[in-house]
Amino acid sequence: MIMHQKESEEIIKSAQNFIVQIVEFPSNDTGGLLVDRIDFWKFRNKLSMVIIAKQLTEQLNSQIKKVSPDIIISLLEAAGKREDTKILKMFASLLFGHINSETAPYVHKSYSSVLEQLSAEDVKIIETMYLGISSKNMDYKTVGYSISTAMNLFNFVHPVVLLSFQNLWRLGICSKGVDPNNPSENQIIFTDYGWQFMKACSIIN
């Protein structure tokens, strides 16, 4: 038990040091960023996200670009509210994208806020659509999902899919595509913003 606690403390210290390394803090204002005044559940989620990004930077030995505190705080707060492993990986991808010199120009600050507003069902739908389009090298502006397609693929009921579609339209990730063969059926098709958002969220597979 003592060893386990010591190992946990080392992991926390490692994550804390990593945050200090990548963030442009004013003066020495770095204490307690991960730990103070948050419950354990949020802390665990934040820690998981940071460790995933940290491990990738170490594996790739990538050049780190420091970011402003507002970017990292937004990411930490948003990730702290989510426990889903896939969504935490998406947040870790955004963190890595911000601090990696090659990917930083393609990762918008708003992405963390957008990801925070996605449900698990939303993520499942757009991730599957993104992977399918990418693997087949299709034009993301012309290929999408209809409500019936999403219902069949994921075994979701109609209200769940409709709400997901409405949220994706609201956030600007997808547009209201119309199938020429069935103009009355709602669809989701990636916008340019949505496609770039998914690319940034998919750096870590």
Side-chain angles (χ1 to χ4, degrees):
M1 181 65 181
I2 296 176
M3 178 62 71
H4 178 71
Q5 181 179 354
K6 185 176 180 181
E7 290 174 352
S8 297
E9 290 174 354
E10 288 300 318
I11 292 172
I12 293 169
K13 184 178 179 181
S14 175
Q16 186 89 353
N17 290 338
F18 181 67
I19 292 296
V20 172
Q21 182 183 359
I22 64 176
V23 181
E24 293 178 336
F25 287 107
S27 64
N28 293 321
D29 187 18
T30 61
L33 185 65
L34 286 175
V35 188
D36 290 351
R37 296 180 300 277
I38 59 175
D39 58 50
F40 178 76
W41 183 78
K42 284 186 177 181
F43 168 69
R44 183 185 61 190
N45 297 336
K46 293 179 183 183
L47 182 63
S48 296
M49 187 269 287
V50 172
I51 291 299
I52 292 170
K54 179 178 181 290
Q55 288 173 342
L56 184 60
T57 60
E58 291 172 347
Q59 289 171 9
L60 299 180
N61 194 26
S62 59
Q63 183 178 357
I64 291 176
K65 173 184 177 294
K66 285 209 170 189
V67 297
S68 62
D70 60 325
I71 289 177
I72 191 65
I73 290 171
S74 296
L75 274 167
L76 286 171
E77 289 304 310
K81 301 172 186 176
R82 308 303 288 266
E83 192 171 28
D84 184 276
T85 302
K86 169 51 65 178
I87 296 177
L88 285 176
K89 278 189 176 182
M90 294 173 77
F91 276 114
S93 289
L94 295 181
L95 174 56
F96 178 82
H98 276 299
I99 65 174
N100 182 275
S101 298
E102 294 182 5
T103 56
Y106 304 99
V107 183
H108 197 269
K109 180 183 175 182
S110 66
Y111 289 171
S112 59
S113 175
V114 171
L115 181 55
E116 182 180 8
Q117 297 177 70
L118 295 179
S119 69
E121 291 81 9
D122 300 340
V123 169
K124 193 167 188 178
I125 290 171
I126 58 174
E127 183 193 32
T128 304
M129 193 167 81
Y130 174 79
L131 292 174
I133 293 171
S134 299
S135 64
K136 296 178 181 177
N137 198 28
M138 295 186 289
D139 183 0
Y140 66 84
K141 296 180 181 180
T142 61
V143 180
Y145 282 168
S146 66
I147 287 181
S148 59
T149 298
M151 289 174 62
N152 293 331
L153 276 176
F154 308 109
N155 198 27
F156 291 160
V157 296
H158 184 276
V160 170
V161 176
L162 181 58
L163 282 173
S164 284
F165 279 25
Q166 290 170 341
N167 194 39
L168 295 170
W169 296 330
R170 177 185 71 88
L171 292 169
I173 295 174
C174 296
S175 65
K176 297 181 179 181
V178 178
D179 184 348
N181 299 318
N182 191 359
S184 65
E185 186 171 25
N186 287 322
Q187 288 183 312
I188 51 169
I189 293 179
F190 280 119
T191 60
D192 289 332
Y193 177 87
W195 186 254
Q196 296 304 319
F197 165 78
M198 285 304 298
K199 285 178 68 175
C201 289
S202 303
I203 296 173
I204 300 175
N205 298 320

